[in-house]
Amino acid sequence: MKDNGYGFNTTLLHGVDDDTPYGATTVPIYQSSAFKQPDAETLEKIFDNKAMGFSYTRINNPTVEAFEKRVNLLENGLASVACSSGMAALFNAMVNILQAGDEVVAAAGLYGGTVELFDDLKGLGITTKYVLENNPSNYESLITDRTKLIFAETIGNPKLDITDIELVAEIAHSHNIPLIIDNTVATPYLVKPINLGADIVVNSSSKYMNGHSNSISGILTWSGRFKWDYERYPGLKPYKKFGAMSYIVKLRNGLFRNSGGCLAPQNAFYNTIGLETLGLRMSRECENAMELAEFLEKDMKMSVNYPGLKSSKYHGLADKMLSNGYGAIVTVRVGSKERAFKIINALKIPYILANIGDTKTLVIHPESTIATHLSDTEKEQSGVYDDLIRISVGIEDIEDLKQDFKQAIENSMEE
Ligand SMILES: *Cc1c(COP(=O)(O)O)cnc(C)c1O
């Protein structure tokens, strides 16, 4: 890893020196389940965390490590662990430090899968309290002696509320609690949560980091800064001797290894290729999203939610906290589920599917799909309404997108 003062795009291309054989310009795919060692002693040392090295791909793999190093550099972490999906990364990041009886305080405007994960954790005796209105003081009022972590998304998917990471981190730390931030929608191109005080950052790299919808994966990044009270986090205590790395060593020697949510080397390879253009894609996608949001609000007189618009109540915070844009997710409320379906069906360019962060524009009706397993209250808290359309804006020519949305919206008004 090099801290050479490069800008974001140069860092994407040249930030990590891979020790590639034969002068290869891309990271080789080490499609190997296990790694042989010269002698029994070396393998013993690797298993005992006394030597660096690879043993078994469920624990680590050189291609996966190349991806981890890149994201670690981008998110300014001490160490990162790549997982088989964003959900696996979230599960590992949180359950690594939780046990029965613990409480989580979480923003309400979360990705539906994460709300469902919190529902699953209830079965393990871990309860979650939701912050309904995402402002810092509301987090504080839900903290109890049992609160062991605070969780939020930088930009909520699909609520598009924004977490004031700096202030929420201050509150969390004043109670000796770590803050975990899901940075999937913003990506480190817009903000690096660790620089604002977050302790662990999770990205679903299935989305913008991969960028081309060819692999499911997730990655968690540890800041190395949170000072654990090992009495409050007894699971970490046996790893105390690893100092700032205790959280990561516990994860790799415990939950991550034993729950088996490792990333396949082939998918890590796709991610390292996709990552090279993260800056270029995000820049274009954010620009397109801004222009499409303005067009839908001003010209088409729609009810649009986008942090880049002055009408968003998070616009001021977005201006303060984000650089390079406001993200590429736009939502529109169109009056009824029937009209939402009509508009979606009339669109010619966007794909109708459950994903975000592709080069192509994607649309979905969240209420009947990704949020369908949530209760009515959970839906409302997550900002999911039956007339809501979520648009993940791609890199197409903006005039084509505007014209396509125009014809679809006009179509939906005819009887
Ligand atoms: C998609 C997504 C996830 C889950 O990631 P997968 O890779 O699909 O498991 C988590 N958080 C957010 C914000 C997401 O958009």
Side-chain angles (χ1 to χ4, degrees):
M1 244 180 292
K2 292 188 284 189
D3 180 15
N4 38 32
Y6 286 157
F8 192 84
N9 289 301
T10 312
T11 301
L12 287 173
L13 300 164
H14 302 287
V16 175
D17 263 338
D18 299 298
D19 192 13
T20 49
Y22 309 114
T25 58
T26 55
V27 178
I29 304 168
Y30 290 97
Q31 194 68 31
S32 185
S33 309
F35 298 86
K36 64 184 176 188
Q37 299 302 337
D39 47 49
E41 286 79 6
T42 307
L43 195 57
E44 180 188 34
K45 280 187 194 138
I46 289 173
F47 268 84
D48 208 19
N49 302 303
K50 288 189 174 126
M52 303 289 276
F54 299 96
S55 57
Y56 195 59
T57 286
R58 174 152 48 72
I59 305 167
N60 56 1
N61 171 288
T63 315
V64 175
E65 191 180 87
F67 172 57
E68 290 170 340
K69 281 183 176 168
R70 283 162 169 74
V71 174
N72 200 53
L73 183 62
L74 293 180
E75 287 289 17
N76 198 21
L78 181 65
S80 295
V81 178
C83 302
S84 54
S85 68
M87 291 317 302
L90 285 167
F91 177 81
N92 274 283
M94 299 201 259
V95 178
N96 194 40
I97 48 171
L98 294 176
Q99 58 183 39
D102 289 349
E103 290 176 2
V104 176
V105 169
L110 300 178
Y111 175 70
T114 308
V115 176
E116 285 188 55
L117 176 61
F118 284 132
D119 286 346
D120 292 330
L121 293 184
K122 244 183 254 167
L124 303 178
I126 298 158
T127 47
T128 302
K129 291 180 173 174
Y130 288 105
V131 176
L132 299 186
E133 195 57 42
N134 197 348
N135 67 55
S137 56
N138 290 347
Y139 286 83
E140 183 136 47
S141 60
L142 295 177
I143 293 173
T144 73
D145 288 348
R146 294 172 161 232
T147 309
K148 295 293 170 63
L149 79 81
I150 295 186
F151 180 82
E153 291 174 8
T154 310
I155 303 177
N157 174 13
K159 197 177 187 182
L160 305 181
D161 55 334
I162 295 185
T163 304
D164 192 326
I165 297 172
E166 209 168 357
L167 294 187
V168 176
E170 265 175 32
I171 289 167
H173 297 159
S174 74
H175 293 269
N176 254 318
I177 303 167
L179 172 65
I180 302 189
I181 291 288
D182 181 334
N183 201 33
T184 303
V185 171
T187 83
Y189 182 66
L190 301 191
V191 64
K192 302 182 186 215
I194 286 176
N195 291 356
L196 300 178
D199 303 292
I200 297 156
V201 177
V202 177
N203 282 278
S204 164
S205 35
S206 317
K207 315 291 171 54
Y208 295 99
M209 285 189 169
N210 172 283
H212 301 76
S213 296
N214 61 36
S215 307
I216 297 294
S217 68
I219 184 160
L220 66 89
T221 301
W222 156 243
S223 71
R225 288 206 214 113
F226 187 75
K227 298 279 175 275
W228 301 102
D229 171 347
Y230 290 103
E231 300 309 318
R232 291 197 78 218
Y233 296 89
L236 285 172
K237 211 170 170 181
Y239 298 91
K240 198 174 163 181
K241 65 176 175 201
F242 294 100
M245 280 296 281
S246 63
Y247 173 86
I248 291 290
V249 179
K250 175 182 188 291
L251 190 65
R252 274 205 200 273
N253 284 264
L255 186 70
F256 172 71
R257 178 165 85 185
N258 302 330
S259 58
C262 63
L263 179 58
Q266 184 86 33
N267 287 356
F269 172 78
Y270 291 136
N271 288 349
T272 58
I273 302 294
L275 209 50
E276 292 187 352
T277 55
L278 177 66
L280 276 181
R281 286 182 285 103
M282 277 302 281
S283 161
R284 170 76 169 216
E285 286 163 13
C286 290
E287 241 174 63
N288 275 358
M290 186 71 207
E291 203 165 319
L292 185 66
E294 277 180 338
F295 174 74
L296 293 174
E297 184 176 70
K298 288 194 191 118
D299 298 29
M300 302 306 294
K301 311 271 182 269
M302 308 293 282
S303 159
V304 183
N305 185 12
Y306 182 63
L309 295 174
K310 291 206 172 61
S311 56
S312 161
K313 69 174 157 189
Y314 295 98
H315 183 67
L317 178 56
D319 269 341
K320 182 183 96 168
M321 202 174 83
L322 308 177
S323 349
N324 303 321
Y326 302 92
I329 309 291
V330 178
T331 64
V332 202
R333 289 189 69 176
V334 297
S336 67
K337 174 177 177 179
E338 199 193 6
R339 186 162 186 226
F341 273 39
K342 263 193 178 173
I343 292 173
I344 288 173
N345 291 340
L347 285 165
K348 295 185 176 118
I349 294 173
Y351 290 169
I352 306 168
L353 54 72
N355 197 11
I356 59 170
D358 198 340
T359 46
K360 293 139 187 149
T361 296
L362 317 171
V363 293
I364 195 164
H365 179 253
E367 195 270 338
S368 62
T369 56
I370 47 177
T372 191
H373 300 295
L374 301 183
S375 69
D376 288 346
T377 319
E378 283 172 337
K379 279 181 193 168
E380 201 183 308
Q381 289 173 4
S382 327
V384 173
Y385 308 95
D386 72 351
D387 65 342
L388 186 86
I389 300 174
R390 184 187 71 188
I391 309 160
S392 169
V393 183
I395 63 171
E396 294 93 345
D397 295 297
I398 186 62
E399 283 311 316
D400 293 333
L401 287 179
K402 287 196 312 202
Q403 285 317 308
D404 195 24
F405 275 91
K406 184 170 191 282
Q407 65 79 22
I409 289 162
E410 284 169 356
N411 248 324
S412 74
M413 290 187 293
E414 288 162 13
E415 262 325 300

